[in-house]
Structure formats: C-alpha cells, structure tokens
Amino acid sequence: MNTNLVLIGFMGSGKSSIGKRLANRLGREFLDSDELTSSRAGKTISEIFQTEGEEHFRKLETEELRRLTGSSGIVLATGGGSILREMNRALLRTIGTVLWLHADPEILFERATRNRRRPLLEVENPRGTFRTLLESRLSLYEQTASLTIDASGLSHEQTVERIIRALEARGNEGCDTTPSSAGTV
Ligand code: S3P
C-alpha cells in the first residue's frame, strides 16, 4: 500500500482512533485534519466555531487539506464535515485513497455525543440535528469514497483488520482513487 489513506465518515465513526491504529499497523505517519487546524489556529475546534463561526472553520479546513496534497505515506483522519465542500471532495481524492468509515446510526450517535467536543451537536435537540446532518451527508461520503467500510459491531482492531483486508482484496495497493470503483465491505 503505497499511497496515502484518507478516512472520512460521520462524527463518531472512529476516524481518529481507527486511523491511529491503522497507521501503526502500516508503519505510517498518522495525521488528523482537525488537530492540524486546531493547532495552527491555537484554539480548539469548539472555540473556532464559537468565536469565528462554522464558515471560518470550513475555510481553515480547506486550507489544511490543500497543504496535505503534498504529503506521502500518511493515514489521514478528517473531520466529519470535510466532504461538504466540492473543493474538499476533490482535495481528499487527490491526497489519497478515500475510505468511508460507516456504522449503524445509533452507534454513531452514542459515540458522537459521549463528550462535548462537537459544537454541531451542542444544540437543543442533538438527536434531530444528528439525523438531519447524517441524512444530508450520506451521499457525499458515498460519492467521495473509493471504499466503504461498515464498522458496525466491530472493535477498532477488527475494523483495522477489515480495512487492510479490503485494500488487499482490491489488489490496488491503495492506488486507485476513482469513486466509480467504489464498493462496500
Ligand atoms: C464536524 C466534525 C468534527 C469537526 C467539527 C465539524 C462535522 O470532526 O471537524 O466539529 O461537521 O461533522 P469529527 O468528525 O472528528 O467529530
């Protein structure tokens, strides 16, 4: 597996935890676009949302993705909304092979609301907002990813195994980034 791997997926899908383990297994560097954005801004993601608003965060997120197009040998975890901008979807596919980490919505909701680090869900009706956001994004994850990994009922370690097997089974060594060859595992 020679090219970069890019994990996309809704909040709570485990992109960062699974990404770290995956990078470890493959002997690669792990990067997280939210962490990069946050450390460059000197603020947490919640603080950026609070002080400058979501649009500004999206601008920073795009800038970060643009910088990452020059990277190699990385596993990248992205923020759940990274697929919203058309420009980002193209950037993600330029960075590497895009894997959509998906799971049962109940699991996603439970994980996404475990802590208070997700400003978009810090609202009066988090469940309703969660559902609306998820529904509006599903097709964007699908069209951006080369491969969909269903992690429902799997531990992080088992998900890593599934990803590695799926990449090997495709025999593409992580090189094909065309969404037309998408498949679900
Ligand atoms: C967001 C997801 C977050 C973070 C920000 C916005 C989103 O990342 O980028 O709060 O729009 O779904 P995680 O998916 O890692 O929670």
Side-chain angles (χ1 to χ4, degrees):
M1 297 172 203
N2 300 318
T3 63
N4 299 322
L5 298 176
V6 179
L7 300 180
I8 62 169
F10 203 72
M11 294 176 267
S13 58
K15 299 174 297 277
S16 301
S17 319
I18 291 163
K20 271 180 207 155
R21 284 169 189 263
L22 181 63
N24 209 21
R25 273 287 299 274
L26 300 174
R28 298 197 182 183
E29 183 184 4
F30 171 75
L31 293 174
D32 183 316
S33 66
D34 275 349
E35 273 178 21
L36 294 169
T37 302
S38 168
S39 71
R40 199 177 302 277
K43 293 175 187 169
T44 64
I45 301 296
S46 295
E47 284 166 350
I48 299 173
F49 267 74
Q50 236 165 40
T51 57
E52 283 121 332
E54 179 173 353
E55 257 323 288
H56 182 70
F57 168 75
R58 297 295 171 205
K59 188 174 145 267
L60 300 180
E61 186 174 48
T62 299
E63 285 170 10
E64 220 50 71
L65 294 179
R66 198 170 276 122
R67 284 190 191 95
L68 288 162
T69 54
S71 312
S72 62
I74 61 163
V75 173
L76 174 69
T78 58
S82 63
I83 40 67
L84 291 173
R85 289 183 164 192
E86 192 180 349
M87 164 63 75
N88 290 3
R89 298 196 289 277
L91 287 170
L92 292 167
R93 294 209 301 267
T94 302
I95 294 169
T97 297
V98 182
L99 307 175
W100 174 22
L101 268 188
H102 194 35
D104 183 80
E106 269 311 306
I107 298 173
L108 294 178
F109 182 74
E110 193 275 314
R111 288 203 205 132
T113 51
R114 244 182 231 168
N115 60 51
R116 309 197 59 190
R117 286 199 291 265
R118 294 190 166 96
L120 290 178
L121 298 177
E122 290 298 312
V123 291
E124 215 165 281
N125 177 10
R127 193 173 275 278
T129 303
F130 170 91
R131 197 179 320 112
T132 309
L133 284 177
L134 181 62
E135 279 167 12
S136 66
R137 292 177 179 183
L138 285 175
S139 70
L140 297 177
Y141 293 123
E142 192 175 8
Q143 65 177 260
T144 310
S146 295
L147 204 54
T148 300
I149 306 289
D150 186 350
S152 305
L154 299 184
S155 67
H156 287 347
E157 209 46 56
Q158 288 169 325
T159 307
V160 167
E161 283 304 324
R162 182 169 285 194
I163 292 172
I164 290 172
R165 277 205 314 273
L167 289 168
E168 283 169 356
R170 293 181 91 211
N172 72 344
E173 303 292 303
C175 292
D176 181 6
T177 58
T178 51
S180 57
S181 58
T184 304
V185 182

